[in-house]
Amino acid sequence: MPGSDVTATHCPYCALQCGMEIGPELVVSPRTDIPANASGALCQKGWTAGELLVNGARLTTPLLHGEPVEWEVALDHVAARLAAIRAEHGPDAVAVFGGGGLTNEKAYQLGKFARVALGTSQIDYNGRFCMSSAAAASIRAFGMDRGLPFPVTDLDDADVVLLAGANVAETMPPLVRHLTGPRLIVVDPRRTQTARLAWLHLQPTPGTDLALALGLAHLAVAEELVDEAYVAARTVGFDDVRTSLASWWPERVERITGVPVHQMRQAVRALAAARNAYVLTGRGAEQHAKGTDTVTAFINLALALGLPGRMGSGYGCLTGQGNGQGGREHGQKADQLPGYRKIDDPAAREHVAAVWGIPAADIPGPGRSAYELLDALGTPDGPRALLLFGSNPVVSAPASEHVAARLGALDLLVTCDVVLSETAALADVVFPVTQWAEETGTMTNLEGRVLLRRRAVPPPAGVRSDLEVIAALARRLGPRSESATEFAPEFATDPAEVFDELRRAGAGGPADYSGITYERIVAETGVFWPCPAPGHPGTPRPFLDSFATPDGRARFVPVQHRPPAEETDADYPVHLSTGRVLAHYQSGAQTRRIAPLVRAAPEPYVELHPDLAERLGIAAGDMVRVTSRRGQSKAVARISDAIRRDTVFMPFHWEGANRLTNPALDPVSRMPEFKVCAVRVERDS
Ligand code: SF4
């Protein structure tokens, strides 16, 4: 246990939510009681997290049109403008955009604020850009989405792990310590730091992972590697999938993906021969206009081999953002209510409305998904005002120049932020808010383990929490004129009180936190949901006995490959793929302000193969212009044979990469196609 001058808490960044202690002088050190990083590991983002708390760029005064103002002035202005816009254009003229880094308490309160105080259906969050297609595929196959439906420590005993589109050596390095035992099969168009650790690296053309998964499953059938007993006992629908796989013979898949047949055979034979094996997906497989079907194809492969729901084996999605898992459970998503319930489920509406003290009819229906919401801002039928919490879409949204233009067309843009991010710089009003170690709240990590991120230091003077901003605005807005409810529902500001309400609102849903308390989280170093009652032990492996479908069996779903939404042509002859680097996190709003991280990765770059560079007359260090149908961006050239000859790579932590990316949406999850588009690459003379 830490001493009295040391606070046990968790990292501000990614979904591994490494345990850390914050001591005097804000020195950060790893905890050894949190299994994900019990080995004492943190990545360089974690080690330097204390600097976030004393950063000179910190906002401490509300800004109204760029000028510092008193809190009451800013709150009164926003409430008056929201009321006027609502009165003139209706409740859906006001939109809310949340984030996958917000605590569970904030995600819950934001959903309630949108539906109860504003009465708007227009709420979604940046997690839609993160793993929504894996979530949709998991719900389709297993009846429930819980990132990894097993503790990360289960990976320690695996014999083989197939990682599709996840560069964990850079995005969450401590996880690599759980992957040193198994044979790693990495699917990635680049020879990433993770691929360098692999026993086998499959390097497909960007946008062809779905074909590759179909080819692997075809081989499993052709070589009689299917676990027929498991398929018969625990699944339905395999016959249709078996039929649908017939045309994905390996030579055809090699032509589409560029992955040699013998490598596909090696991969599927290793997976089938393993006693314990896992198939894991990350953003590389998921961020596509066919992301749900791509993940479904990998799940079909895992089911055919008999992996999900077996001790020591399984399928899982490696969630990215700090609270990417909890952020999708408590109601900040356009189509969901707390407890990971569907917003159009009558029973869920009745249950949640009773907790909120309003008639179920007052809860609006589903709204627009994240990109569709951003795309509609300021249009005749779209929202006129946007409240943004913990998100920086000017850097992180696809077609980001278009998104910035839409933000500029609003009557009112309000952001809650810690620093003046690129998006906050465009806002009419900026509220300076507390950050991770300045406030207490729960986070649900990539395993579905609910953790307590504790306050370690007081916030700077002038700063308030997002919960206080929500409550202050709700108080000013008062009862909704169009609602039958004549009182303004209360919005608590104490995280523990909000958590208690969240548990009641989510009770009975898939993500049931009823039995979880702050005290239990501390005593048990986290509790896995579902945990439906006080004495319940929590559920580390929810699919061991049965899946969360009506009959308890997993669903095979037939899917077919299709090309990316945008293919290369004479004008845009090269694929662009995007991703992360070790030193930075998401849009970089935090990490680009931390000196050691900036020294480690000071600027954006374009990675290209030596052969492509030679053909284009580009040398290492040259300034390169990359152009897509949506915009242009410049960055320094890095020459590397780790990337395919037909592809360039750009990290997305800076403005630039997402000016180019394609907002084509997955029809099921509404995930944009971040991971592949067509570009032209030129030396910038
Ligand atoms: Fe751990 Fe992720 Fe934080 Fe790095 S960024 S220390 S991997 S939680």
Side-chain angles (χ1 to χ4, degrees):
M1 286 296 289
S4 58
D5 52 353
V6 170
T7 305
T9 188
H10 293 270
C11 177
Y13 299 117
C14 86
L16 202 55
Q17 281 299 291
C18 291
M20 56 171 56
E21 294 170 3
I22 302 183
E25 314 287 322
L26 303 179
V27 171
V28 162
S29 54
R31 283 165 72 179
T32 52
D33 59 338
I34 298 296
N37 70 318
S39 56
L42 294 173
C43 76
Q44 63 189 119
K45 297 183 287 287
W47 283 113
T48 56
E51 298 191 27
L52 282 172
L53 300 166
V54 290
N55 196 270
R58 187 69 188 277
L59 293 173
T60 54
T61 314
L63 301 175
L64 174 58
H65 299 134
E67 297 298 324
V69 292
E70 297 292 325
W71 268 95
E72 304 312 302
V73 172
L75 288 165
D76 288 347
H77 176 85
V78 171
R81 294 290 294 126
L82 291 177
I85 290 167
R86 255 184 14 174
E88 190 177 351
H89 301 284
D92 277 357
V94 177
V96 177
F97 199 90
L102 300 175
T103 61
N104 289 320
E105 290 79 356
K106 292 180 186 179
Y108 167 78
Q109 202 74 320
L110 213 50
K112 177 181 170 184
F113 175 68
R115 275 91 182 213
V116 176
L118 296 171
T120 182
S121 67
Q122 301 297 294
I123 175 169
D124 211 40
Y125 81 125
N126 65 17
R128 182 78 65 177
F129 299 159
C130 189
M131 68 314 111
S132 57
S133 51
S138 287
I139 291 169
R140 198 152 84 168
F142 309 125
M144 189 171 97
D145 152 45
R146 211 199 67 188
L148 298 182
F150 46 81
V152 292
T153 43
D154 281 8
L155 296 168
D156 298 349
D157 298 323
D159 302 307
V160 178
V161 174
L162 183 143
L163 266 179
N167 181 12
V168 292
E170 295 205 66
T171 57
M172 41 183 72
L175 185 68
V176 173
R177 300 205 180 184
H178 299 285
L179 296 170
T180 51
R183 282 181 163 182
L184 259 190
I185 302 168
V186 171
V187 178
D188 201 303
R190 300 169 64 219
R191 196 168 68 251
T192 60
Q193 293 301 328
T194 311
R196 289 172 205 275
L197 304 173
W199 167 73
L200 180 62
H201 176 204
L202 311 181
Q203 201 167 1
T205 308
T208 66
D209 317 63
L210 175 45
L212 179 62
L214 293 170
L216 296 174
H218 175 103
L219 279 169
V221 172
E223 300 199 359
E224 299 184 351
L225 301 174
V226 173
D227 186 337
E228 299 286 356
Y230 169 96
V231 167
R234 300 213 51 190
T235 73
V236 291
F238 183 56
D239 286 345
D240 288 346
V241 165
R242 193 196 304 261
T243 305
S244 73
L245 290 171
S247 60
W248 295 100
W249 60 91
E251 292 75 14
R252 179 186 178 203
V253 172
E254 177 176 330
R255 276 199 301 280
I256 294 170
T257 63
V259 176
V261 172
H262 73 269
Q263 289 191 348
M264 287 186 246
R265 281 192 207 283
Q266 259 183 298
V268 80
R269 286 175 185 172
L271 279 167
R275 189 176 40 89
N276 295 324
Y278 291 86
V279 173
L280 307 177
T281 61
R283 304 303 82 72
E286 298 161 8
Q287 289 180 318
H288 292 276
K290 54 179 180 293
T292 304
D293 283 355
T294 302
V295 176
T296 295
F298 279 108
I299 290 175
N300 285 343
L301 171 68
L303 287 171
L305 298 174
L307 308 182
R310 251 187 47 210
M311 190 69 193
S313 294
Y315 161 78
C317 152
L318 294 166
T319 296
Q321 291 195 82
N323 200 24
Q325 180 66 50
R328 63 199 197 240
E329 298 167 0
H330 307 297
Q332 65 173 331
K333 232 178 147 182
D335 45 2
Q336 277 171 4
L337 289 174
Y340 218 151
R341 292 176 154 107
K342 289 191 164 152
I343 200 166
D344 49 11
D345 172 355
R349 294 172 67 83
E350 287 294 341
H351 174 87
V352 175
V355 175
W356 287 348
I358 61 170
D362 271 10
I363 300 178
R368 293 179 173 93
S369 73
Y371 184 77
E372 290 163 298
L373 177 58
L374 296 171
D375 188 38
L377 297 175
T379 61
D381 298 327
R384 313 288 323 163
L386 178 68
L387 302 169
L388 222 145
F389 293 75
S391 194
N392 186 15
V394 168
V395 177
S396 62
S400 56
E401 280 184 313
H402 171 69
V403 167
R406 300 278 21 111
L407 291 168
L410 286 166
D411 296 340
L412 178 70
L413 173 62
V414 180
T415 68
C416 286
D417 220 325
V418 173
V419 294
L420 198 66
S421 70
E422 288 79 357
T423 307
L426 303 179
D428 299 288
V429 177
V430 182
F431 291 119
V433 289
T434 44
Q435 59 173 322
W436 63 296
E438 296 163 358
E439 57 190 356
T440 292
T442 57
M443 306 285 282
T444 304
N445 80 352
L446 79 177
E447 314 158 290
R449 188 195 301 258
V450 185
L451 301 162
L452 187 65
R453 203 154 79 180
R454 273 193 286 213
R455 174 176 156 139
V457 295
V463 162
R464 298 185 187 178
S465 82
D466 301 85
L467 295 176
E468 289 175 301
V469 174
I470 291 169
L473 290 176
R475 222 172 17 252
R476 282 166 171 76
L477 288 166
R480 279 158 48 197
S481 56
E482 72 279 12
S483 164
T485 314
E486 290 176 0
F487 60 92
E490 282 297 309
F491 284 81
T493 56
D494 173 16
E497 233 178 285
V498 178
F499 188 72
D500 186 51
E501 187 180 312
L502 171 162
R503 292 161 59 210
R504 286 186 283 118
D512 194 329
Y513 284 40
S514 299
I516 305 176
T517 61
Y518 282 11
E519 293 72 25
R520 272 194 72 181
I521 296 172
V522 172
E524 300 171 31
T525 55
V527 182
F528 289 91
W529 72 257
C531 181
H536 191 283
T539 316
R541 302 174 190 87
F543 301 149
L544 275 190
D545 298 327
S546 70
F547 296 99
T549 53
D551 59 7
R553 290 164 178 250
R555 300 287 186 268
F556 276 100
V557 181
V559 292
Q560 294 293 328
H561 175 70
R562 49 203 183 269
E566 185 177 75
E567 295 192 87
T568 53
D569 58 18
D571 292 331
Y572 301 97
V574 179
H575 299 290
L576 168 71
S577 196
T578 65
R580 288 165 55 177
V581 299
L582 174 61
H584 291 292
Y585 177 69
Q586 307 297 64
S587 79
Q590 296 150 294
T591 52
R592 281 187 279 115
R593 290 173 167 87
I594 303 299
L597 301 180
V598 172
R599 279 197 296 278
E603 58 186 4
Y605 63 88
V606 181
E607 181 178 285
L608 63 170
H609 191 276
D611 292 354
L612 178 63
E614 188 182 345
R615 190 151 56 77
L616 298 173
I618 293 169
D622 282 352
M623 189 56 76
V624 168
R625 203 165 53 239
V626 186
T627 310
S628 78
R629 288 183 177 83
R630 290 151 296 279
Q632 193 171 87
S633 120
K634 292 181 186 176
V636 172
R638 278 195 198 173
I639 314 294
S640 166
D641 65 2
I643 191 159
R644 294 173 55 95
R645 289 171 177 78
D646 56 7
T647 303
V648 295
F649 169 84
M650 293 180 75
F652 59 60
H653 310 291
W654 293 265
E655 262 188 290
N658 278 320
R659 284 190 202 137
L660 307 166
T661 48
N662 189 351
L665 298 181
D666 177 62
V668 183
S669 64
R670 319 308 284 166
M671 164 75 84
E673 183 137 282
F674 285 101
K675 279 293 180 278
V676 58
C677 69
V679 296
R680 184 169 61 243
V681 182
E682 300 153 293
R683 188 160 164 266
D684 190 44
S685 48

